[in-house]
Amino acid sequence: MKLKLILSILAVLAVGGGLAFYIVESGHDPAAETAGGHGEHGGAEDKHAEEETAEGPHGGRLLTDGDFTLELAIVEGGLPPEFRAWFTQGGQPVAPSGVKLSVELKRPGNVIDRHAFVPEGDYLRSPSEVYEPHSFDYTIVAEHAGRTHRWAFEAPEMQVTIDAGAATRSGVVAEVAGPATMVETLAVYGQVKLNANKVARAVPRFGGIVREARKSLGDAVQAGEVVAIVETNQSLATIEVKAPIAGIIVDRDVNAGETVTDGATLYTIADLADVWVDLNVPKRDQARVKVGQSVDIHADDGGVEAQGKISWLSPVSSAEAQTLVARVVLANDEQRWRPGLFVKAEIALAEASVPVAIKESAIQSLFDFTVVFSQHGDLYQARPLELGRRAGGFVEVLKGLKAGERYVTENSFLIKAEIGKSGASHDH
């Protein structure tokens, strides 16, 4: 029994040792590939990962080639990000004026940025901004004392690769960013009213008894048409009351057999070929609203739409509501806009053409940045943005994305989630 137990233990140890050897010999360490350096005079390609990603005294990345060391950092500190570089040889500082340094950055989409350096203090700096995202492949060349040192490595961040088929099944859609006309609008509410310039009253010249009231509410009448007969009190003669204009009976205040006074309103007639839409402009926006501005008008239920222009602004504001009336005269040949109807509207305050605009629905928040995700084949890259005006579901891009680039417009939150799961953080 003891012999069998001993043999079993030895077998387990043998298998475990072989497996451990396999892991050590064949294991893949991505960190070991991130910074390989070699020079024309001697190479240093077999560096350990901890040496290649070591941090220097200035918080930058240490790159070595023999006894020559470069510390390269992206310095921000509230200013546009820039490269700074420090050098040592044999552990001793190297004067920056004695080194010629260039850094080439290859971004997703094969965009190449080249940075030259100038001496400043005890370091070299690149005057060009290292704009976000700081996700690129580095090619670095340093010339010193007749020797050339080269490094090349990848430094991706805030990106993820998703197979095209998986992206399609997930509903991820990308479109091309480009120029747009941005129209800044102001949302207001209002009410349809009778055009007071096209309202008239049918009245008797003399008081008496109404013998006939010929029209009902909503009836159409012609100018000069008899709408009522009145027997006067003085002579008992009958007189005709005629419609002064053509239109629709919008109010009736008479019945046969009633006694009416001189000049009493029997019918109110309105020409509904056009109506007034009185919009209530809040106090804070009154200075931006002008006569002539275009207005899109919607019935409050969203069913009926029309366009017009502001033709009149009230000279006084409402003391109670602190609002200003902006009036649109709206054609109403089909009588769809009925007086009394509440409406909502957008007043076009300003219009501008911008070189780059994106859909507002594409924007996400990631690592304290406002981003969209650019598409480069199966690669999706977070692009921090500086945004401008917003209008009509679009946003102006001031910085971070160029016209002609593809960006995710639908289901961009899925890309954000994948980047979060992959751990592709924003880390310099």
Side-chain angles (χ1 to χ4, degrees), residues 186-189 279-289 317 321-325 347:
L186 172 65
V188 294
Y189 292 87
L279 305 173
N280 300 311
V281 181
K283 180 179 179 181
R284 65 178 179 276
D285 299 308
Q286 292 174 6
R288 300 192 294 165
V289 176
S317 296
Q322 293 292 289
T323 56
L324 178 73
V325 172
I347 301 173

Side-chain angles (χ1 to χ4, degrees), residues 386-404:
E386 183 179 332
L387 301 176
R389 290 161 285 193
R390 298 173 182 253
F394 284 83
V395 185
E396 176 186 12
V397 177
L398 302 176
K399 186 177 179 181
L401 193 71
K402 296 180 180 179

Side-chain angles (χ1 to χ4, degrees), residues 46-58:
D46 298 326
K47 295 179 175 62
H48 296 293
E50 58 269 21
E51 294 175 340
E52 296 175 273
T53 58
E55 185 175 294
H58 303 93

Side-chain angles (χ1 to χ4, degrees), residues 188-190 295-307 337 341-346:
V188 294
Y189 292 87
V295 183
D296 289 336
I297 302 171
H298 314 270
D300 204 28
D301 59 5
V304 182
E305 298 183 358
Q307 291 183 323
W337 297 95
L341 180 70
F342 287 102
V343 300
K344 54 186 176 182
E346 291 87 39

Side-chain angles (χ1 to χ4, degrees), residues 70 72 85 87 99-103 115-117 124 140-143:
L70 159 65
L72 184 67
F87 309 92
V99 182
K100 181 180 178 181
L101 178 66
S102 66
V103 174
H115 292 262
F117 288 75
L124 291 180
I140 302 171
V141 179
E143 299 178 11

Side-chain angles (χ1 to χ4, degrees), residues 174-418:
E175 298 179 27
V176 177
T181 299
M182 307 289 291
V183 181
E184 182 186 4
T185 61
L186 172 65
V188 294
Y189 292 87
Q191 189 175 19
V192 179
K193 296 185 177 181
L194 295 172
N195 183 339
N197 296 326
K198 295 185 176 182
V199 176
R201 298 177 303 141
V203 300
R205 295 179 58 190
F206 304 101
I209 299 174
V210 178
R211 294 303 181 188
E212 294 183 36
R214 296 182 177 180
K215 295 296 179 179
S216 299
L217 194 65
D219 286 351
V221 297
Q222 298 299 317
E225 183 179 352
V226 176
V227 294
I229 302 294
V230 175
E231 181 182 286
T232 64
N233 292 329
Q234 295 178 347
S235 63
L236 300 181
T238 58
I239 59 174
E240 296 178 337
V241 179
K242 298 180 179 180
I245 62 172
I248 302 295
I249 302 295
V250 296
D251 190 21
R252 168 178 163 155
D253 193 20
V254 62
N255 289 296
E258 292 182 343
T259 299
V260 295
T261 59
D262 298 355
T265 300
L266 305 187
Y267 294 99
T268 301
I269 304 164
D271 180 356
L272 298 179
D274 53 55
V275 293
W276 287 350
V277 179
D278 283 357
L279 305 173
N280 300 311
V281 181
K283 180 179 179 181
R284 65 178 179 276
D285 299 308
Q286 292 174 6
R288 300 192 294 165
V289 176
K290 310 292 182 184
V291 170
Q293 290 174 332
S294 297
V295 183
D296 289 336
I297 302 171
H298 314 270
D300 204 28
D301 59 5
V304 182
E305 298 183 358
Q307 291 183 323
K309 292 183 179 294
I310 295 176
S311 62
W312 177 80
L313 291 173
S314 173
V316 296
S317 296
S318 165
E320 296 78 15
Q322 293 292 289
T323 56
L324 178 73
V325 172
R327 179 169 294 156
V328 177
V329 179
L330 197 61
N332 190 38
D333 293 333
E334 298 179 4
Q335 297 186 22
R336 298 186 305 165
W337 297 95
R338 300 183 181 277
L341 180 70
F342 287 102
V343 300
K344 54 186 176 182
E346 291 87 39
I347 301 173
L349 299 177
E351 181 176 304
S353 297
V354 299
V356 187
I358 59 173
K359 289 185 176 180
E360 194 167 12
S361 59
I363 297 172
Q364 295 288 340
S365 177
L366 182 68
F367 303 122
D368 297 325
F369 291 106
T370 297
V371 305
V372 293
F373 301 103
S374 57
Q375 182 193 28
H376 312 274
D378 291 346
L379 178 68
Y380 296 87
Q381 174 70 61
R383 303 287 290 274
L385 302 179
E386 183 179 332
L387 301 176
R389 290 161 285 193
R390 298 173 182 253
F394 284 83
V395 185
E396 176 186 12
V397 177
L398 302 176
K399 186 177 179 181
L401 193 71
K402 296 180 180 179
E405 292 192 88
R406 292 181 64 82
Y407 71 103
V408 177
T409 56
E410 294 185 28
N411 292 320
S412 58
F413 68 92
L414 296 175
I415 309 298
K416 174 181 176 178
E418 288 299 317

Side-chain angles (χ1 to χ4, degrees), residues 100-115:
K100 181 180 178 181
L101 178 66
S102 66
V103 174
E104 181 180 281
L105 307 175
K106 183 179 179 182
R107 297 176 180 270
N110 292 320
V111 176
I112 304 297
D113 298 338
R114 294 181 174 87
H115 292 262

